[in-house]
Amino acid sequence: MGEAERGESAPRVRVPFYCANKHEVVPSFAHEAAVPDEWDCPRCGFPAGKDPQNPPAPPRTEPYKTHLAYVKERRSEEEGRLILDEALAKLRADRAEVRAFMRANAG
Ligand SMILES: [Zn+2]
């Protein structure tokens, strides 16, 4: 009892989805499962829809670039700060060395 409802013997529906790059992906769903409106294309990562004439627009192109630019900006800012910190640390170390030298030779 219940064996036939599980695994491969369970009825499945295959639903084709199409992405903006004209890729076709045909995932299969359990018969009783809700079929989503969109499916991530495994080839390009774009969302794929059920209408081949009107695939969902790739939403990541623009925001992704902006985000990447933001990350790059942030990183160079952090790198710049790191270099400055390093330079300051070196300067302080040099000064401490000079002070120690002068102190050693003062008396
Ligand atoms: Zn695709």
Side-chain angles (χ1 to χ4, degrees):
M1 160 94 206
E3 276 296 308
E5 285 168 36
R6 287 193 287 131
E8 285 161 38
S9 51
R12 295 182 81 80
V13 246
R14 290 172 71 78
V15 183
F17 288 85
Y18 308 89
C19 79
N21 286 329
K22 298 183 166 48
H23 297 142
E24 186 183 327
V25 54
V26 192
S28 64
F29 301 90
H31 191 66
E32 65 273 16
V35 176
D37 289 336
E38 287 188 3
W39 190 260
D40 280 344
C41 173
R43 289 173 68 183
C44 66
F46 285 1
K50 279 179 269 188
D51 183 359
Q53 305 304 320
N54 189 27
R60 283 175 214 170
T61 319
E62 214 32 57
Y64 182 72
K65 267 184 194 164
T66 309
H67 179 70
L68 191 69
Y70 172 75
V71 168
K72 268 189 186 167
E73 203 172 284
R74 237 185 97 99
R75 192 181 300 157
S76 64
E77 209 173 277
E78 268 166 31
E79 267 168 22
R81 202 176 302 140
L82 218 67
I83 289 163
L84 191 68
D85 278 354
E86 226 167 81
L88 281 173
K90 194 176 167 352
L91 197 68
R92 286 196 200 103
D94 285 350
R95 277 196 198 145
E97 218 169 277
V98 169
R99 263 201 301 273
F101 177 80
M102 285 168 80
R103 212 179 293 131
N105 290 286

